[in-house]
Amino acid sequence: MSFPNNFLWGGAVAANQCEGAYLEDGKGLSIQDVMPKGVVGPVTPEPVAENLKLTGIDFYHRYEEDIRLLSQMGFRIFRMSIAWSRIFPKGDEETPNEKGLAFYDKVFDTCKAYGIEPMVTLSHYETPLHLAKTYDGWRNRRLIGFFERYCRTVFHRYKNKVKYWMTFNEINALWHFPLMGAGIWTPKDQLTEQDKYQAAHHEFVASALATKLLHEIIPDAKMGCMVLGALSYPMTPRPEDMIAMMEADRNVMFFSDVQARGYYPSYIRKRWEKNDIRIKMEPGDEELLHHTADYVSFSYYMSKCTAADCSLYSKGAGNLTSGVKNPYLEESEWGWQIDPAGLRYTLNYFYDRYQKPLFVAENGLGAVDTLVTDDTGHLTVKDDYRIKYLKDHLLEVEKALEEGVDVMGYAAWGCIDVVSASTAQLKKRYGFIYVDRNEDGSGTLARYKKKSFHWYQQVIQTNGASLHSDQ
Ligand code: BGP
């Protein structure tokens, strides 16, 4: 048996992609409420009806049914996020919104009742809109204080309910999508590298501070860092492509290097020196960074290729970042290249570098699903393509475990269908559970079990052994 008995099998969602109820019970607006097309479209002055996230999949009212369904699959962990703007509607208030806090009490109590451990991301692409507009998000050092107050509030409140936490979802996304990644309101073409490194510094300090606080308030809790784990292969064995790969990977690993090792790596300090980038730090910042993450997590959907001259090759599509197309891989309907072995490589790469427990925070296949009637007259989706994707990836997780990598667990992304992050679509589905809601917003919101629901249930029940059967 390669999967340890305490392996955390589960799935993941984010508040802004599933909850809906965007103004209910005192919630303030978040940046997502004015991003109707995800990162591919413009922001709107006010929330507009075609923004599917305003209603999401109505998890806010249906969480009990949803968590029950997840428990039927045997989930041990449910990665979810707290919408910061439910707790502090504008982000800079002194006093939290009690109704927002009460909502997550109910969610965590339900998880407990069904034997599921919640894993909570504190900031998953949902900076309160007021912080973005008034302070320019994480470019402003004052965000550290606001975040600290938010963390302190939720750590005290959920002290006995939540053991696993994460600070920033895909923290490296701020580099490519500063608004979604770091609530930066200034258009991205007006930002310099210096601005982005400065915003990253504020997030690193905030993350370290949150880790310190967590350990003080809930001593047995674990804090994770989380990066978008799209590593590169060199397009050819030419030495210059290899060097390009090293640099591309550093752009990812820089973020986890700081959070997992507790200091800025020399390659970044040299880059700053060379490019005359001066990061403003306050006394004590660097000492604070020593409060490193207890575990390291990443999302993994695909690998990418890199070359010294990328213009020689065709460009690939991808999860917020992309590189050159790998001629040896197939791709999803959204053009994301499918590379199960890349997950094994990524796990080994991270473990070699940090020697800390790893958690696969997201993995999955976004696809168009069709609801059909099965032999027993029930509505379902025959998603063999998804089963194949997940099975192939989990077999690679198993290989990494066999190689000695300490993998704590695995969360399938969008375990129940949610609105997509990059394109804000509902037709791009990842779940084991189908949600009846269409791209035009119509639908009953009823939940149906897909074929993959029963498959994953079996995988968890056998602690991975069924991955080796023919199914
Ligand atoms: C990651 C995000 C998730 C998620 C996932 C899939 O970048 O952390 O929030 O949605 O990607 O991406 P998408 O929804 O765009 O298909």
Side-chain angles (χ1 to χ4, degrees):
M1 265 303 196
S2 302
F3 289 94
N5 285 333
N6 57 355
F7 191 75
L8 297 170
W9 295 99
V13 296
N16 73 87
Q17 292 172 259
C18 72
E19 286 178 2
Y22 79 109
L23 281 180
E24 209 159 316
D25 291 334
K27 178 181 170 296
L29 294 179
S30 92
I31 51 167
Q32 291 294 339
D33 298 323
V34 294
M35 295 174 71
K37 298 286 173 220
V39 292
V40 294
V43 293
T44 50
E46 297 296 327
V48 291
E50 66 257 38
N51 185 348
L52 292 169
K53 285 167 276 182
L54 304 185
T55 311
I57 58 157
D58 197 31
F59 180 82
Y60 194 77
H61 300 109
R62 294 166 197 253
Y63 64 88
E64 205 279 334
E65 177 188 359
D66 293 343
I67 295 170
R68 174 158 36 87
L69 286 165
L70 301 178
S71 81
Q72 285 175 14
M73 275 185 278
F75 270 40
R76 294 178 191 160
I77 197 123
F78 178 39
R79 174 177 175 240
M80 48 168 288
S81 66
I82 293 181
W84 186 351
S85 58
R86 282 200 194 283
I87 311 302
F88 288 97
K90 288 165 74 183
D92 58 359
E93 301 91 336
E94 302 271 331
T95 322
N97 170 32
E98 174 53 34
K99 284 188 174 162
L101 287 166
F103 168 66
Y104 294 105
D105 266 324
K106 290 188 289 183
V107 171
F108 300 144
D109 291 344
T110 309
C111 285
K112 192 172 176 41
Y114 285 107
I116 300 175
E117 198 75 55
M119 177 181 262
V120 174
T121 315
L122 288 151
S123 181
H124 191 130
Y125 295 157
E126 48 213 348
T127 309
L129 185 62
H130 174 76
L131 295 185
K133 283 187 162 176
T134 313
Y135 299 90
D136 216 10
W138 285 96
R139 273 186 80 190
N140 193 321
R141 190 168 173 108
R142 292 193 62 193
L143 269 272
I144 299 174
F146 303 141
F147 187 73
E148 182 190 352
R149 187 181 298 150
Y150 160 55
C151 289
R152 198 182 284 282
T153 305
V154 296
F155 294 162
H156 277 298
R157 177 76 172 219
Y158 308 124
K159 204 175 149 118
N160 300 318
K161 302 186 182 186
V162 183
K163 290 225 154 32
Y164 295 99
W165 298 83
M166 271 179 213
T167 45
F168 298 97
N169 179 64
E170 297 189 335
I171 187 166
N172 47 329
L174 86 82
W175 204 259
H176 309 278
F177 297 98
L179 174 59
M180 189 159 95
I184 298 176
W185 199 248
T186 303
K188 91 171 178 192
D189 53 7
Q190 290 172 28
L191 295 171
T192 60
E193 288 217 341
Q194 156 114 19
D195 296 331
K196 291 194 272 184
Y197 279 120
Q198 187 66 55
H201 179 69
H202 295 149
E203 290 200 7
F204 291 144
V205 171
S207 182
L209 195 54
T211 307
K212 178 174 180 281
L213 273 179
L214 179 71
H215 291 156
E216 283 162 13
I217 300 171
I218 326 179
D220 61 336
K222 305 273 177 229
M223 182 62 88
C225 61
M226 199 290 203
V227 294
L228 191 167
L231 294 178
S232 293
Y233 299 159
M235 190 58 180
T236 75
R238 278 190 207 110
E240 56 270 34
D241 284 351
M242 192 63 201
I243 296 295
M245 178 201 99
M246 179 187 83
E247 281 169 356
D249 285 350
R250 278 180 173 170
N251 289 339
V252 174
M253 302 309 288
F254 154 59
F255 290 86
S256 44
D257 280 354
V258 179
Q259 292 181 287
R261 293 170 167 168
Y263 55 89
Y264 280 101
S266 53
Y267 61 85
I268 284 295
R269 290 186 180 280
K270 281 287 169 195
R271 192 183 296 176
W272 290 345
E273 217 176 283
K274 207 169 118 205
N275 298 308
D276 201 24
I277 290 173
R278 287 158 211 262
I279 302 304
K280 282 194 211 104
M281 297 193 193
E282 285 193 2
D285 278 8
E286 294 196 81
E287 288 68 39
L288 207 51
L289 293 182
H290 300 160
H291 293 273
T292 54
D294 300 307
Y295 66 99
V296 176
S297 76
F298 58 85
S299 58
Y300 178 83
Y301 294 90
M302 55 185 292
S303 58
K304 58 188 184 186
C305 284
T306 306
D309 181 0
C310 291
S311 68
L312 298 175
Y313 310 99
S314 51
K315 199 173 159 20
N319 182 23
L320 303 180
T321 62
S322 64
V324 166
K325 251 191 198 182
N326 184 331
Y328 298 100
L329 299 177
E330 314 230 302
E331 58 190 41
S332 78
E333 288 165 275
W334 270 262
W336 298 18
Q337 291 201 298
I338 300 172
D339 179 15
L343 178 53
R344 170 182 173 189
Y345 170 71
T346 306
L347 283 164
N348 274 282
Y349 190 93
F350 274 78
Y351 197 59
D352 284 354
R353 203 161 175 127
Y354 304 129
Q355 299 283 301
K356 288 197 176 198
L358 303 180
F359 184 81
V360 182
E362 295 180 22
N363 173 235
L365 178 71
V368 174
D369 286 340
T370 313
L371 208 52
V372 295
T373 310
D374 70 10
D375 305 341
T376 56
H378 290 101
L379 287 170
T380 188
V381 175
K382 298 200 169 143
D383 55 346
D384 295 275
Y385 39 92
R386 180 168 296 108
I387 294 175
K388 178 170 172 22
Y389 179 101
L390 294 170
K391 175 179 174 170
D392 290 349
H393 283 76
L394 280 167
L395 285 169
E396 298 294 326
V397 173
E398 186 175 46
K399 284 183 198 156
L401 282 162
E402 283 163 4
E403 287 165 318
V405 179
D406 181 0
V407 192
M408 294 158 56
Y410 172 93
W413 172 253
C415 44
I416 176 164
D417 293 343
V418 295
V419 182
S420 90
S422 53
T423 51
Q425 291 173 302
L426 248 170
K427 67 175 183 205
K428 187 184 193 187
R429 297 170 182 272
Y430 287 86
F432 302 113
I433 300 161
Y434 183 93
V435 177
D436 179 21
R437 187 162 191 235
N438 308 308
E439 213 48 35
D440 62 3
S442 64
T444 61
L445 288 165
R447 276 61 168 150
Y448 300 104
K449 297 173 187 175
K450 301 181 194 178
K451 188 174 174 184
S452 55
F453 181 102
H454 306 285
W455 169 82
Y456 198 44
Q457 182 179 53
Q458 194 62 21
V459 171
I460 299 177
Q461 208 172 76
T462 61
N463 205 31
S466 68
L467 292 167
H468 297 279
S469 70
D470 288 340
Q471 154 61 280

